[in-house]
Amino acid sequence: MKSERDDTPVLITEAARSYEEEFAARKRKYVTMMLLRFPCLVLAAMFHDTWWLALGFVLLSIPLPWAAVLIANDRPPRKAEQVNRYQRTPNAIEGPGHSVIEG
């Protein structure tokens, strides 16, 4: 019985990022979004005389932790791509003509 498995080598030049790199990128996004909350609260305190502007900054800062957690916990979707296999031309090593010696 012939195996269904394809044994040709797979090119990994476009491999996905490692788990550690992806996790570090998600942590950076989380920290950035959480750091954006602090200026919103400071601006709300600075504009306490203009109640609608202060309220706007406070309302802007409320969903930031929720969004930061959702974005930090969300892994990027896997790519549904065809596997890039090495294709060699049949004449790459051998010349076009073969002389056969019969003996």
Side-chain angles (χ1 to χ4, degrees):
M1 222 163 125
K2 189 175 181 180
S3 174
E4 296 288 327
R5 186 172 166 204
D6 189 4
D7 289 332
T8 57
V10 176
L11 297 177
I12 59 169
T13 55
E14 295 181 15
R17 295 191 310 180
S18 70
Y19 176 75
E20 289 80 17
E21 290 175 348
E22 182 184 312
F23 185 64
R26 289 190 288 147
K27 281 197 311 191
R28 280 191 302 272
K29 287 179 189 177
Y30 176 79
V31 169
T32 302
M33 290 187 72
M34 290 305 286
L35 288 176
L36 286 175
R37 188 173 192 207
F38 182 70
C40 285
L41 295 175
V42 169
L43 287 171
M46 287 174 56
F47 290 105
H48 71 278
D49 292 334
T50 313
W51 68 270
W52 58 270
L53 193 54
L55 182 65
F57 283 124
V58 168
L59 291 177
L60 182 65
S61 72
I62 289 173
L64 281 177
W66 174 75
V69 168
L70 285 180
I71 290 172
N73 287 332
D74 187 27
R75 293 182 73 176
R78 292 186 178 210
K79 295 179 182 176
E81 296 178 354
Q82 293 289 348
V83 176
N84 189 8
R85 302 232 181 239
Y86 174 72
Q87 302 290 324
R88 92 173 168 91
T89 57
N91 297 335
I93 295 176
E94 302 159 355
H98 295 275
S99 59
V100 178
I101 301 174
E102 294 183 22

